[in-house]
Amino acid sequence: MNIILMGPPGAGKGTQAAKLVKEFGLTQISTGDLFRKAHREQTSIGVISDYFSKFGRLVPDDFTNEMVYDYLKENMNNFGNGFILDGYPRTILQARELEYFEESLGFKIDAVINLDVDFDVLKKRLSGRRTCKNCGATFHIMYKPPKVEGVCDNCGGELYQREDETEAAVKVRLSTYEGQTRPLIDYYKMKGMLTNINGDQSMDDVYSDIKKCLEAL
Ligand code: ADP
Ligand code: ADP
Ligand code: ZN
């Protein structure tokens, strides 16, 4: 089963994807994580994406599509029970490109799940988010505090606050979402692929709604 997990920054995509990985043996593909890895390694895509990501803007479609295509192609046989796209597609052009990838690499997207959360809630989630430098796991200083402050529960890695989590960058990210990503909701609704889920519930309740949706498939 291959699914797209959509939603604005801070909606809980990463949090829910981690639960699905654990329970169903799916592989999480987070473009945000791929860009941050490229940044740490200062590869050419890392250098290019820095310029956009730092300010909360999207990396241009052609770079993003190429990175995703290469990743899918290289790992096509290693996805276990399927994959979860977390943070891709984020524009209509990316969605169109993904359809081309389905044909050329021979896979199918089975469902699109959209996590719906109001902007006021998102701002609180983003400002309190802490991310593991080592494994990318996310925590929250109030809603999901790590057992030891500043230390990842999963791997013992150091937790940090992302560079694009300043108030200014968050503002840009939310308005970028409105302008470029929100139109995808209607796109997938028209294709009959979309399930909308209220993301403003406890993490466990959101997860149980996602499971209900997947079981119905
Ligand atoms: P995304 O991947 O969509 O940007 P995350 O999964 O990283 O979002 O979640 C953003 C922040 O909000 C994290 O700090 C996370 O711990 C917290 N969070 C996620 N889901 C919930 C929830 N249902 N209730 C409260 N906080 C949440
Ligand atoms: P969040 O978890 O808050 O939704 P991500 O970690 O997914 O944010 O993304 C961080 C940054 O990486 C984005 O602000 C953007 O610069 C870049 N990025 C991630 N996915 C995409 C994409 N599909 N298209 C363009 N840029 C992307
Ligand atoms: Zn970790």
Side-chain angles (χ1 to χ4, degrees):
M1 171 164 338
N2 303 314
I3 61 178
I4 295 173
L5 201 49
M6 265 184 17
K13 303 181 293 295
T15 301
Q16 299 299 329
K19 288 175 180 282
L20 290 167
V21 166
K22 214 168 163 188
E23 184 167 351
F24 296 104
L26 301 171
T27 302
Q28 176 188 7
I29 305 174
S30 156
T31 40
D33 285 349
L34 290 177
F35 282 128
R36 281 184 290 277
K37 180 163 178 278
H39 158 79
R40 282 194 302 273
E41 294 169 356
Q42 286 290 295
T43 61
S44 56
I45 184 79
V47 173
I48 292 164
S49 66
D50 268 4
Y51 184 74
F52 301 92
S53 295
K54 214 172 24 197
F55 303 108
R57 291 165 55 198
L58 292 183
V59 179
D61 285 334
D62 45 357
F63 295 113
T64 305
N65 289 333
E66 190 183 325
M67 178 182 77
V68 172
Y69 181 80
D70 290 347
Y71 185 85
L72 288 173
K73 190 169 181 202
E74 205 176 300
N75 295 285
M76 215 57 231
N77 298 321
N78 309 320
F79 288 135
N81 295 327
F83 57 77
I84 307 159
L85 282 174
D86 160 6
Y88 183 90
R90 263 175 150 113
T91 66
I92 299 278
L93 273 177
Q94 291 179 11
R96 300 292 295 273
E97 191 73 3
L98 180 62
E99 283 154 26
Y100 161 75
F101 297 167
E102 289 184 70
E103 256 175 57
S104 64
L105 297 174
F107 65 87
K108 187 172 162 288
I109 299 293
D110 300 290
V112 180
I113 293 174
N114 180 56
L115 301 179
D116 191 21
V117 181
D118 283 346
F119 274 19
D120 292 346
V121 176
L122 293 175
K123 282 184 195 150
K124 285 187 201 137
R125 287 192 186 174
L126 291 170
S127 61
R129 170 156 68 183
R130 297 293 180 271
T131 305
C132 176
K133 253 185 189 160
N134 184 44
C135 75
T138 57
F139 297 84
H140 192 283
I141 51 173
M142 275 163 68
Y143 310 136
K144 192 191 177 189
K147 291 196 185 88
V148 180
E149 199 187 314
V151 180
C152 175
D153 287 355
N154 302 344
C155 76
E158 184 192 336
L159 301 182
Y160 77 113
Q161 185 164 23
R162 276 165 45 175
E163 200 180 0
D164 60 354
E165 232 106 80
T166 59
E167 206 176 316
V170 164
K171 227 180 190 169
V172 176
R173 281 162 68 201
L174 292 177
S175 70
T176 303
Y177 171 81
E178 274 306 308
Q180 295 188 260
T181 309
R182 194 186 276 286
L184 278 177
I185 295 178
D186 282 336
Y187 182 80
Y188 284 119
K189 208 185 271 170
M190 276 186 330
K191 290 173 73 95
M193 295 172 76
L194 188 88
T195 302
N196 216 24
I197 284 176
N198 174 13
D200 189 7
Q201 315 178 69
S202 74
M203 295 177 200
D204 287 345
D205 287 347
V206 175
Y207 187 57
S208 105
D209 281 358
I210 293 177
K211 280 213 305 198
K212 271 183 219 146
C213 157
L214 296 182
E215 276 154 15
L217 280 175

